[in-house]
Amino acid sequence: MRNTFFALLVAAGLIVAGRTVLAHHAFGAEFDPNAPIRLQGKVVRLEWVNPHTWIHIEVQKDGKPETWMVEGGTPNTLLRRGITKQTVAIGTEVVVDGYQTKDHSLKRANGRDITFTDGRKLFMGSSGTGAPRDGADPTEGGTKPPVKKPGGR
Amino acid sequence: MRKLIALAFAALAATTVVAQKPLSLRTPDGKPDLQGIWSNSTITPLERPQNVTSLVLSEAEAARMERATLERRERLNEPSDPDRPAPPKGGDGSTGAAGNVGGYNNFWLDPGDRVAVVDGQRRSSLIIDPPNGRIPALTDEARARQGARLKLMAGRGQYDHPEFRPLAERCLLSFGPTTPLVPNYFYNNNLQIVQTPDHVMILMEMVHDARIVRLNATTHLPRHMRPWMGDSIGRWEGDTLVVDTTNFPPQQNFRGSSENLHVVERFRRVDAKTINYRFTVDDPSTFTAPFSGEIPFRAMDELIYEYACHEGNYALSNVLSGARNEEKRLGTKQEKQ
């Protein structure tokens, strides 16, 4: 029984990771492993589209604003959990690590890990609902509430 | 007292009648009603790991698998270091589709969280035949074909034309198989079935592919006519819908299959919430033996969402412009011409 369990876990683990089977496209064909990046900036636009969501963020480079597009997954999965493109307010500050596209003239990258500035995953934290964190809820966690522009989008 | 007992019996009888009243699982023409929105997602792998001998898992084994899956997912969703640096130069070592650059966060994925249960059995693999739960070996012909494909691809340059790119990348077909209906273990493993006395339509959420099954047709299309998802004809065998699909185009393949692929699917509605789906794959020019599998389709109380793949397909242009960029950087033929 122990062997059965571990063997199946390995099989299921590989599958759940979603990293060893088919995908819409091969990430290695699109992004450059020799161009790693870390971006920190404010969300300025969300393209809630298939096959991949693209999150546009504005970062500061040498004192000047620069807009990057970051690739995520299908929005359908998040829609089923009640998450829409309004969930993350325009102006929310995020941290992204990933790799730039092989075409370096494009400011695009994969969102290998997209988080709030306190490290919580973008669509897993309560602040993503747009409700301000005021410390009343001890389960909120984190210390840096996301920046939110009035009205959002 | 006698009156009370009579009333009690009457109440019990009424309850029994309500409880036993069959749900309407048939269409007006008396066929089993397969209509609705279904999910075929599961954590049971298509093929059984080689050192697992039994198709059937114990309740405890299945529970442990499901619990471990959830725990792993929770770990992946935990916060990251907010001060983390950029990932390593040269790649992060990820393999497969993630291609050494790491893909994207786990929260985008929805591969299912349950072990497949068929006829009360918790399964260790979706494949049930051959008995080892694994896809039979490829034929020599199939291996030679794969080699030739790779050679052709390398010779003409796989990034030199949009049409050299895979069908999924071009948003033409799902990256999971359309026939048989095997889960892709990523997301959007949902489908909608609509039926009339003459046709059955199977709409897959992934890439919004709709397969139309002609009922009561006795012959397939002429050999040269090869729709993207093949030609499906169906019939009722008692309460089971049997769908027979051939005429696949050469670009569409299941695990290396050829255009001789022949798939037979059996849909049987077993209760209000479940369709038992059985498939048999036969392609003598690819597999050394036919193989069969079973998957439970679970009723969903949610909608199928649109998957307008062309709407945001930046990936294809990124891949092609990335290749041009590399050519410039390396000073290859295109630059010199």
Side-chain angles (χ1 to χ4, degrees):
Chain A
M1 164 156 169
R2 202 168 170 79
N3 285 342
T4 300
F5 174 69
F6 281 114
L8 280 166
L9 214 56
V10 168
L14 288 173
I15 286 159
V16 172
R19 298 284 164 89
T20 58
V21 283
L22 298 165
H24 163 255
H25 64 82
F27 286 86
E30 184 176 3
F31 300 103
D32 184 351
N34 290 313
I37 51 151
R38 180 190 192 275
L39 302 167
Q40 181 162 348
K42 292 176 181 177
V43 174
V44 291
R45 185 183 173 202
L46 274 113
E47 288 194 79
W48 210 241
V49 293
N50 278 301
H52 294 274
T53 299
W54 286 84
I55 300 173
H56 299 232
I57 64 172
E58 188 179 287
V59 303
Q60 295 294 322
K61 190 180 179 190
D62 303 328
K64 289 182 181 170
E66 201 173 78
T67 302
W68 280 73
M69 287 171 61
V70 177
E71 189 182 52
T74 180
N76 296 28
T77 301
L78 296 182
L79 278 171
R80 283 207 167 76
R81 297 178 196 147
I83 297 168
T84 70
K85 72 175 183 180
Q86 276 79 32
T87 299
V88 171
I90 299 303
T92 301
E93 192 162 356
V94 296
V95 176
V96 177
D97 71 74
Y99 292 88
Q100 190 178 1
T101 45
K102 287 187 171 177
D103 181 349
H104 290 192
S105 70
L106 301 171
K107 291 184 178 60
R108 297 178 186 172
N110 67 325
R112 184 175 172 274
D113 192 8
I114 309 177
T115 69
F116 294 112
T117 51
D118 63 7
R120 282 170 306 121
K121 310 292 191 207
L122 194 58
F123 294 107
M124 303 306 296
S126 61
S127 59
T129 62
R133 283 181 293 142
D134 56 8
D137 180 356
T139 63
E140 283 177 340
T143 54
K144 299 175 188 172
V147 178
K148 190 187 169 203
K149 281 184 181 170
R153 188 168 71 146
Chain B
M1 183 65 187
R2 188 175 289 175
K3 199 176 175 183
L4 269 180
I5 292 171
L7 275 173
F9 268 109
L12 185 65
T15 310
T16 309
V17 167
V18 170
Q20 289 181 341
K21 186 182 175 187
L23 287 162
S24 177
L25 299 180
R26 289 187 181 271
T27 54
D29 62 343
K31 301 298 184 198
D33 191 350
L34 303 173
Q35 298 181 103
I37 298 177
W38 307 90
S39 170
N40 63 353
S41 67
T42 177
I43 57 171
T44 295
L46 177 66
E47 293 189 88
R48 196 174 316 144
Q50 273 171 334
N51 53 347
V52 176
T53 51
S54 173
L55 171 66
V56 182
L57 295 172
S58 70
E59 189 176 351
E61 285 171 324
R64 282 183 72 188
M65 247 186 97
E66 289 174 353
R67 197 167 55 243
T69 301
L70 289 177
E71 285 170 359
R72 181 177 187 282
R73 208 165 294 166
E74 281 172 13
R75 277 200 305 278
L76 290 170
N77 289 336
E78 279 174 3
S80 306
D81 176 3
D83 300 318
R84 63 192 183 280
K89 191 163 186 175
D92 66 358
S94 57
T95 57
N100 200 24
V101 292
Y104 46 71
N105 286 104
N106 183 67
F107 57 70
W108 300 103
L109 304 180
D110 183 19
D113 48 23
R114 296 194 212 172
V115 166
V117 179
V118 179
D119 293 332
Q121 294 180 343
R122 298 168 189 84
R123 297 281 175 82
S124 63
S125 63
L126 299 181
I127 292 180
I128 56 167
D129 183 55
N132 68 0
R134 298 188 68 79
I135 294 174
L138 294 180
T139 59
D140 291 342
E141 180 189 339
R143 277 197 294 272
R145 200 170 54 232
Q146 280 186 344
R149 264 185 204 158
L150 289 174
K151 199 171 165 186
L152 183 67
M153 190 78 92
R156 67 186 182 188
Q158 57 177 315
Y159 301 108
D160 284 358
H161 195 286
E163 292 190 8
F164 296 168
R165 302 305 303 154
L167 297 182
E169 198 171 297
R170 295 160 62 196
C171 288
L172 291 177
L173 276 182
S174 168
F175 58 77
T178 57
T179 316
L181 296 164
V182 171
N184 62 35
Y185 298 100
F186 263 104
Y187 45 65
N188 300 342
N189 288 292
N190 309 310
L191 55 102
Q192 180 171 16
I193 299 177
V194 176
Q195 74 191 82
T196 72
D198 303 316
H199 294 91
V200 173
M201 189 271 309
I202 303 166
L203 172 67
M204 281 151 282
E205 182 167 328
M206 201 64 241
V207 194
H208 219 76
D209 294 327
R211 180 152 57 105
I212 311 292
V213 180
R214 293 178 291 136
L215 297 182
N216 309 315
T218 52
T219 54
H220 279 291
L221 294 172
R223 264 186 69 80
H224 69 278
M225 295 179 72
R226 294 181 176 271
W228 279 118
M229 284 178 278
D231 177 45
S232 292
I233 58 176
R235 64 185 185 277
W236 290 96
E237 284 185 6
D239 280 348
T240 301
L241 174 69
V242 182
V243 177
D244 187 294
T245 306
T246 61
N247 293 50
F248 288 93
Q251 301 96 322
Q252 163 77 306
N253 75 77
F254 177 59
R255 298 281 177 142
S257 64
S258 73
E259 54 193 345
N260 298 321
L261 175 65
H262 178 203
V263 180
V264 178
E265 300 159 284
R266 293 175 171 269
F267 300 75
R268 186 166 56 90
R269 185 155 193 178
V270 291
D271 58 42
K273 293 190 176 298
T274 318
I275 288 175
N276 272 4
Y277 171 79
R278 184 184 171 117
F279 65 89
T280 298
V281 172
D282 189 16
D283 178 0
S285 54
T286 302
F287 306 108
T288 46
F291 57 95
S292 298
E294 285 184 324
I295 308 170
F297 290 179
R298 290 175 290 104
M300 296 173 69
D301 56 0
E302 296 172 54
L303 297 172
I304 288 272
Y305 288 108
E306 184 188 46
Y307 191 97
C309 188
H310 290 289
E311 191 175 357
N313 191 11
Y314 294 102
L316 181 59
S317 62
N318 287 349
V319 166
L320 295 172
S321 70
R324 303 293 80 79
N325 185 63
E326 296 243 302
E327 286 166 359
K328 278 184 194 165
R329 189 173 61 81
L330 298 170
T332 50
K333 58 183 177 182
Q334 275 80 356
E335 183 68 3
K336 291 173 186 169
Q337 281 169 358

